[in-house]
Amino acid sequence: MDFFAIAPIGLPHTSLVFYLSSILIALLLVFLTFQTYKSKSYRYFFLALQLSQLIGLYTWYALRGFPLNEALPLYHCRIAMLAIFFLPDRNSFKQLFMIMGIGGTFLALLSPDLYPYKLWHVANVAFYLGHYALLVNGLIYLLRFYNPSQLRPALVLRYFATVNFVLLLVSLATKGNYGFVMDIPIIHTHHLLLNFVIVTGGLTSMVKLIEWTYLKFGEAYRLDLVFSKEK
């Protein structure tokens, strides 16, 4: 079955229209989530979508023999996807990865790291659906549980430094590129120390930027919605 094909055939072609549409969908989901995040059916739908995406992807990895150089759930966004289900709410590490998942989704869509199969292959479908679900689930978490006192800059930096150091060790052991610490997309640097600094500093800056944006615009918009619905 092509959907679960194992033999690679080359990277899929995506048109400019598809590329721009994928980003537009993410922006529409942000708007829709602000409008609908209190709806249980909306929340449960995206939780179910996230779980289905993970099951589909790892079923395919199992069919391939679970290659250790790419199948371990050790990319930042996959860590965030698992944190949705396995970490308690109001946990600082979960809050960190929910915020990172929001920015990580847009980074992934801007520079998609697709698999060498058809676009509608399970791995590539999981790439898009998984990031869309992560975006919504991360934003819902932010709207419901965000605590501005939990993630001081020094703590964010320490968390990411620890995670990225582990990813670096695992990547060296498996010859993988977990967390893109061995080869950063677009710039393609292979200097390990430089990559560690770029990834750690970049993710820390991204998380703080998303927090600042939410506090300046998102929280005010959410409160306006609540106030208008109470009138």
Side-chain angles (χ1 to χ4, degrees):
M1 184 178 177
D2 287 345
F3 190 66
F4 282 97
I6 296 175
I9 60 173
L11 292 173
H13 170 73
T14 55
S15 66
L16 179 61
V17 171
F18 180 88
Y19 176 76
L20 295 176
S21 297
S22 70
I23 297 171
L24 179 60
I25 289 171
L27 294 173
L28 290 174
L29 285 173
V30 170
F31 175 77
L32 184 61
T33 301
F34 270 101
Q35 301 285 334
T36 322
Y37 76 95
K38 289 187 176 181
S39 167
K40 286 186 178 181
S41 58
Y42 183 80
R43 297 202 304 266
Y44 291 158
F45 173 80
F46 280 96
L47 286 172
L49 180 62
Q50 192 85 79
L51 184 60
S52 300
Q53 167 260 329
L54 287 169
I55 291 173
L57 179 63
Y58 281 96
T59 297
W60 175 68
Y61 274 135
L63 293 174
R64 290 182 58 203
F66 209 82
L68 294 180
N69 66 326
E70 61 177 288
L72 296 175
L74 294 178
Y75 295 94
H76 294 98
C77 283
R78 288 191 203 167
I79 295 172
M81 293 171 191
L82 293 174
I84 293 170
F85 300 103
F86 293 107
L87 289 181
D89 295 328
R90 298 185 175 87
N91 174 278
S92 60
F93 194 76
K94 182 172 185 175
Q95 178 167 295
L96 172 68
F97 273 89
M98 293 303 93
I99 296 172
M100 190 231 65
I102 296 170
T105 292
F106 283 101
L107 288 179
L109 294 174
L110 288 169
S111 179
D113 184 31
L114 298 179
Y115 290 78
Y117 302 90
K118 292 182 178 180
L119 186 60
W120 302 113
H121 184 272
V122 61
N124 290 323
V125 170
F127 172 84
Y128 284 102
L129 292 186
H131 281 98
Y132 288 142
L134 177 60
L135 172 63
V136 172
N137 289 323
L139 189 53
I140 288 174
Y141 181 92
L142 202 62
L143 289 163
R144 298 182 69 208
F145 301 114
Y146 175 66
N147 180 351
S149 67
Q150 273 192 321
L151 294 177
R152 303 297 183 191
L155 180 60
V156 174
L157 184 62
R158 188 160 69 245
Y159 272 152
F160 278 132
T162 302
V163 169
N164 292 336
F165 183 70
V166 172
L167 296 183
L168 183 60
L169 293 178
V170 174
S171 296
L172 288 170
T174 63
K175 295 181 171 54
N177 188 28
Y178 289 112
F180 302 109
V181 293
M182 304 292 286
D183 181 7
I184 300 176
I186 300 179
I187 59 177
H188 296 294
T189 60
H190 296 89
H191 190 286
L192 297 187
L193 179 58
L194 179 61
N195 286 357
F196 177 83
V197 171
I198 291 174
V199 173
T200 302
L203 289 176
T204 300
S205 300
M206 182 183 72
V207 165
K208 300 314 292 183
L209 177 61
I210 293 171
E211 279 192 292
W212 177 86
T213 303
Y214 174 74
L215 290 172
K216 190 170 183 63
F217 303 106
E219 179 69 7
Y221 180 71
R222 183 181 71 85
L223 292 175
D224 284 344
L225 284 176
V226 173
F227 181 71
S228 62
K229 289 176 180 179
E230 289 177 349
K231 284 185 176 180

